[in-house]
Amino acid sequence: MKIPLAAVGCSSIIAQIVLMRELIATFYGNELLFGLVLMAWLVWVALGSWAVARLAVFRWLRERAFAGGLILAGILLLAQMALVRDVRALLGVTPGAFVELGPMVSAVILILAPLSVLTGCLFTLGARLTVERSGSVGPAYTWASLGAGVGGALFSVPLVRWLDPFQIVLLVGITNLAVAVTMLKEPPQGVSRILGGERRFAPLPNLLLTLGKGRSWQVRWAAVKFFVLFFALVAIALPFGRYLHQVTLRWQWTDLAFAADSPYGRLIIQARDGQRVFFENGLLAFETQGTFPEEVAHFPLLAHPAPRSVLLIGGGVAGDLREILKHPVTDVVYVELDSVLIEAAKVHLPPADAAVLSDPRVTLILTDGRLYVKQLSGANQAISLPSNLFDGPDGPFDVVILDLPEPATGALNRFYTREFFAEVQSVLSPGGVFVLGLPSAENYWSPELARRNGSVYHTLQTAFPEVLVLPGEHNFFLASDMPLEDNPAILAERLVERGVETRWVTPDYIRYLFTTDRFEAVRRELEATAGVRLNGDLTPICYYYDLALWLSRFYPELRRAYDSVNLIDLAWGGVPLALGVVWVRWRRRWAVPVAMGTIGLTGMILEVVILFAFQVLHGYLYAEISLIMTAFMAGLALGAAVSNRRLERRPLSPERWAKSALLGVQSTIAIYSVAFVVILRWPIPVPTLVFPLLALLAGGLGGMAFPLAVMLVRREGPAGRVAGLLYGADLVGGCLGALLGSVILIPVLGIPYTCVVVALVALAGLLALV
């Protein structure tokens, strides 16, 4: 059962990632959606695991049922992918528009249910079959985790870069089919006929050996035909998957001119009567022929008396570069994360807009903008990057323009923190101007909008003594270390003197914007939020504020709940943890499942914390992020293997040893969590090595716990039932950790106090076991 269980883990993690990316491209991809998808997936897997655990006494669920489940998993994944592509049409929501929270939650929960329930069923069934063959349930967890690690690595490196989503889905289905056929002693009659009547099959590793010496020519010929059939199906799947990808995209998008998936999301381009509309992950990014880039570029450039060097982070292909080059600048460094966006823009933008990318004054840098600024500022000299990353000017810059979406996620929040603003200030020349924009409102500001924009405003003031805010539906925050020019006559004169031709930002518009009563009203509104919390790398409160603002659009009555969550501190968690420990010590039979739940919860929060801290310190680089996730899954497999190996040596009192080891795991998790905070205070020389190792250790601690917990409760029922119940408890804890960690704990408490919460939960699990 090793290969079949590994296939379950591999196909499960690939399905989870593919469906997650599809749902993000369909709905609004903020931290709430990430947590919701993970929570729904893990809860359904837990329910499936528990369901088969209750049915473990029925012996008719054997290899054929497992093989059928593998084949069904491939079919369900294909059907669920098609459903996600059509869900907007089913909900009656046009492309690019927000989907209300209620329909979004319902869609996510229902779409993920079939495959995730089946995954839980397959694990528990596989665990029972493993016990029947080897006498131990621990290897089932090891091989499933190992398969998940391999699946994560395959998706992160070759699959997502070279294949479309439907091609990946079809390959998963074909692989599951191959594993299902090879694990059966007698394959279905049709398959047997294709393979020349050879009905005795061996597991996949043995099937490979049939090509060697010592086998009859009939057996070797059957194996050859099996592999020929497998690769023939793969050859058919690749073009067919490409066809399905294009057809289902057109269910969502009319006038589709271009569609591509990159490691960072999905890019869609619509062509309408000469206009091009760009969507990223389902949301409107920009459209050609618009005037918004004029406001992004001209106000900061006019605020500087003689701008020569400019750093632009994002927005270049949206028109910002075109407008910047209308000024007498000599050097423009344009930093963009996604190379797919650049290549698509060169082809689909109007020729005049695409030509600016080849202007000799422009240096294009493909990397994370935060990482680029950090390196230029010298904020973390321990970071080592290729020297050719900085072929352009290395500062100081006269103007720095940040044109990115609002801080809706942890990855975007990094561009709105005290630390980033200080780094920007260090790469500006004396009197240099920094600008960023946030969505706003012309007249009424809700408390949530005031809190989000106010947090950025006051955080910006920690690095820049002078901050000027322009009113409108989009507030532009201009910042400098010297007084900013706010005389509209001077700004209008500079526009005319430089010969800048515009459609929107005209001298009359400049005079109106700086003299309207809204100019002072916006400043007063922001100053009134003086008590708002400042946004930091390790205390990313701003993306919680943005999440509250987004939710208030659909459920304004939750305003009081937002304020209550904002007041959470460590004392709030102490009371329920203490009550939980008292209840578990009263109901002793729940001690081990609760301990597994706490380990699942702490492990998931630690994974989220490690990912978030890596992005803060090193930038959002997809390959490295995927490496951390793969290292965590590999740690689960390695930890389970270590526990299994120790238990196989049959200590004199295995239950007592298992309990001591499980207490040691809980203690180590608590120590690890506190130590992680200390590590973040030190210079980290090689983040791309250190953080995967930290993830490997965190995963290893979680993986060690499962075989130990099974040993402690092995006498309480059939092995399959015990494994299913403990696996479900682990997943329920993980789902709570995914939602609480990403949506509440990290943004509200910050990373250091979140690690303290993890330590307290681990200690509570320890006390429940003692």
Side-chain angles (χ1 to χ4, degrees):
M1 290 300 297
K2 294 178 180 178
I3 298 300
L5 280 166
V8 170
C10 182
S11 61
S12 173
I13 195 68
I14 292 177
Q16 182 180 341
I17 297 173
V18 169
L19 289 173
M20 169 83 82
R21 287 168 60 89
E22 287 296 323
L23 289 166
I24 289 172
T26 301
F27 300 119
Y28 183 59
N30 60 13
E31 235 69 16
L32 178 61
L33 180 61
F34 301 151
L36 178 64
V37 171
L38 282 176
M39 183 188 72
W41 181 273
L42 295 175
V43 166
W44 284 122
V45 173
L47 289 175
S49 179
W50 282 341
V52 173
R54 296 290 181 181
L55 299 174
V57 295
F58 296 102
R59 295 298 179 182
W60 56 270
L61 288 175
R62 301 193 61 79
E63 285 85 353
R64 281 186 175 274
F66 192 98
L70 276 176
I71 297 171
L72 181 59
I75 297 172
L76 286 177
L77 178 56
L78 184 63
Q80 289 174 233
M81 278 284 295
L83 181 59
V84 174
R85 290 285 175 92
D86 200 37
V87 70
R88 276 185 171 267
L90 295 174
L91 295 175
V93 180
T94 58
F98 283 112
V99 179
E100 291 190 14
L101 181 63
M104 184 185 76
V105 171
S106 301
V108 168
I109 292 174
L110 294 176
I111 288 172
L112 294 178
L115 182 58
S116 46
V117 168
L118 178 60
T119 299
C121 294
L122 288 175
F123 173 81
T124 303
L125 177 57
R128 179 165 66 82
L129 296 174
T130 300
V131 171
E132 293 177 1
R133 296 184 179 191
S134 65
S136 173
V137 75
Y141 190 87
T142 302
W143 282 95
S145 299
L146 182 61
V150 171
L154 286 174
F155 185 89
S156 303
V157 181
L159 297 182
V160 73
R161 297 181 183 276
W162 299 334
L163 299 180
D164 294 326
F166 273 92
Q167 292 175 323
I168 296 172
V169 167
L170 289 174
L171 288 182
V172 168
I174 293 171
T175 304
N176 281 3
L177 175 63
V179 174
V181 170
T182 57
M183 70 176 290
L184 295 176
K185 292 182 178 179
E186 292 189 0
Q189 187 174 0
V191 176
S192 176
R193 187 179 299 113
I194 292 174
L195 299 179
E198 181 61 44
R199 296 184 62 81
R200 301 295 294 179
F201 259 67
L204 187 58
N206 294 337
L207 183 62
L208 294 172
L209 296 178
T210 61
L211 297 173
K213 296 181 179 180
R215 301 282 182 175
S216 67
W217 70 269
Q218 294 93 340
V219 173
R220 281 183 285 177
W221 178 237
V224 168
K225 287 195 286 186
F226 172 85
F227 286 110
V228 169
L229 178 61
F230 173 80
F231 287 111
L233 290 175
V234 170
I236 295 171
L238 293 178
F240 185 57
R242 179 65 177 172
Y243 169 77
L244 289 178
H245 177 62
Q246 294 293 333
V247 168
T248 53
L249 279 177
R250 293 185 184 278
W251 295 352
Q252 295 181 359
W253 305 94
T254 58
D255 305 318
L256 183 65
F258 176 84
D261 284 8
S262 77
Y264 304 101
R266 174 167 299 155
L267 176 65
I268 296 290
I269 304 177
Q270 287 182 309
R272 297 173 180 171
D273 299 327
Q275 185 183 44
R276 299 295 181 266
V277 185
F278 286 65
F279 294 86
E280 291 182 292
N281 284 331
L283 293 180
L284 176 66
F286 65 91
E287 55 187 358
T288 59
Q289 303 177 9
T291 58
F292 182 75
E294 293 187 10
E295 296 188 87
V296 173
H298 294 314
F299 287 121
L301 289 166
L302 293 174
H304 195 285
R308 290 293 180 266
S309 58
V310 179
L311 171 61
L312 172 64
I313 302 174
V317 297
D320 296 355
L321 266 181
R322 179 191 67 231
E323 300 302 321
I324 290 171
L325 294 176
K326 292 178 179 179
H327 292 258
V329 297
T330 57
D331 297 294
V332 181
V333 176
Y334 170 33
V335 181
E336 184 61 64
L337 180 63
D338 197 345
S339 61
V340 172
L341 175 63
I342 299 298
E343 295 304 318
K346 290 178 179 179
V347 175
H348 294 279
L349 282 179
D353 290 350
V356 299
L357 293 170
S358 304
D359 191 289
R361 294 172 290 175
V362 175
T363 301
L364 175 64
I365 305 292
L366 293 173
T367 189
D368 178 74
R370 175 70 191 271
L371 176 61
Y372 182 81
V373 173
K374 184 188 291 288
Q375 180 70 11
L376 288 183
S377 69
N380 192 345
Q381 295 294 347
I383 294 177
S384 178
L385 293 174
S387 58
N388 61 0
L389 188 64
F390 302 102
D391 291 337
D394 56 1
F397 297 97
D398 297 322
V399 177
V400 175
I401 300 174
L402 179 71
D403 188 9
L404 293 176
E406 63 271 21
T409 67
L412 287 170
N413 185 83
R414 302 173 299 122
F415 294 92
Y416 299 88
T417 65
R418 286 174 294 185
E419 293 83 356
F420 176 67
F421 294 154
E423 292 162 9
V424 170
Q425 197 276 335
S426 68
V427 302
L428 280 170
S429 59
V433 179
F434 171 55
V435 67
L436 62 87
L438 288 174
S440 185
E442 281 280 4
N443 299 307
Y444 172 72
W445 278 30
S446 68
E448 292 79 22
L449 176 62
R451 189 181 295 126
R452 195 273 309 275
N453 288 11
S455 177
V456 173
Y457 174 73
H458 292 289
T459 303
L460 194 58
Q461 288 182 322
T462 63
F464 296 94
E466 300 292 332
V467 178
L468 187 67
V469 184
L470 304 182
E473 293 186 357
H474 206 91
N475 290 150
F476 290 95
F477 296 71
L478 282 71
S480 179
D481 59 350
M482 296 184 181
L484 288 160
E485 184 59 69
D486 60 356
N487 187 331
I490 296 178
L491 297 175
E493 183 180 354
R494 289 174 179 173
L495 184 73
V496 174
E497 287 179 351
R498 296 175 188 177
V500 177
E501 296 182 359
T502 59
R503 291 182 294 156
W504 182 255
V505 180
T506 61
D508 289 339
Y509 179 73
I510 293 173
R511 282 188 286 269
Y512 160 77
L513 193 66
F514 280 83
T515 57
T516 180
D517 56 352
R518 293 193 182 96
F519 185 82
E520 282 298 320
V522 167
R523 186 188 62 80
R524 290 194 301 268
E525 190 80 46
L526 291 170
E527 292 292 344
T529 63
V532 77
R533 293 171 59 181
L534 299 181
N535 194 36
D537 281 347
L538 301 183
T539 55
I541 188 63
C542 211
Y543 89 73
Y544 171 76
Y545 287 156
D546 190 87
L547 175 61
L549 172 61
W550 179 73
L551 288 172
S552 69
R553 297 171 181 172
F554 310 112
Y555 300 100
E557 63 274 9
L558 293 178
R559 185 164 294 144
R560 187 172 300 175
Y562 306 152
D563 296 334
S564 299
V565 172
N566 189 34
L567 298 174
I568 285 179
D569 57 26
L570 289 178
W572 286 49
V575 174
L577 286 177
L579 293 175
V581 170
V582 171
W583 180 80
V584 171
R585 296 191 66 82
W586 175 50
R587 303 292 298 271
R588 293 301 298 165
R589 70 187 185 92
W590 286 99
V592 176
V594 168
M596 277 303 304
T598 60
I599 289 173
L601 186 148
T602 55
M604 183 59 71
I605 294 179
L606 284 176
E607 184 181 12
V608 174
V609 164
I610 292 169
L611 287 169
F612 196 95
F614 178 81
Q615 292 181 58
V616 166
L617 295 176
H618 191 63
Y620 186 81
L621 303 177
Y622 181 82
E624 285 80 357
I625 294 291
S626 302
L627 178 61
I628 291 173
M629 298 176 68
T630 302
F632 184 85
M633 301 305 301
L636 289 176
L638 182 62
V642 169
S643 288
N644 289 329
R645 190 65 179 268
R646 184 65 180 86
L647 290 171
E648 287 172 359
R649 296 178 180 177
R650 300 292 183 187
L652 295 178
S653 180
E655 286 85 358
R656 181 178 299 176
W657 181 87
K659 184 174 182 178
S660 300
L662 194 56
L663 291 172
V665 168
Q666 295 275 30
S667 303
T668 306
I669 290 175
I671 296 171
Y672 175 98
S673 303
V674 176
F676 185 80
V677 179
V678 178
I679 291 172
L680 292 180
R681 306 292 182 184
W682 298 344
I684 299 178
V686 189
T688 53
L689 175 63
V690 173
F691 279 91
L693 289 176
L694 290 171
L696 182 73
L697 178 57
L701 292 172
M704 291 178 66
F706 185 80
L708 301 174
V710 171
M711 176 61 69
L712 288 177
V713 295
R714 62 176 179 168
R715 304 182 191 278
E716 296 184 10
R721 179 177 180 180
V722 167
L725 292 174
L726 291 178
Y727 187 60
D730 183 27
L731 293 174
V732 169
C735 87
L736 290 175
L739 189 63
L740 292 176
S742 60
V743 177
I744 296 177
L745 294 179
I746 291 178
V748 176
L749 295 180
I751 289 179
Y753 282 112
T754 297
C755 290
V756 174
V757 170
V758 171
L760 292 176
V761 172
L763 292 176
L766 184 150
L767 293 174
L769 279 174
V770 172

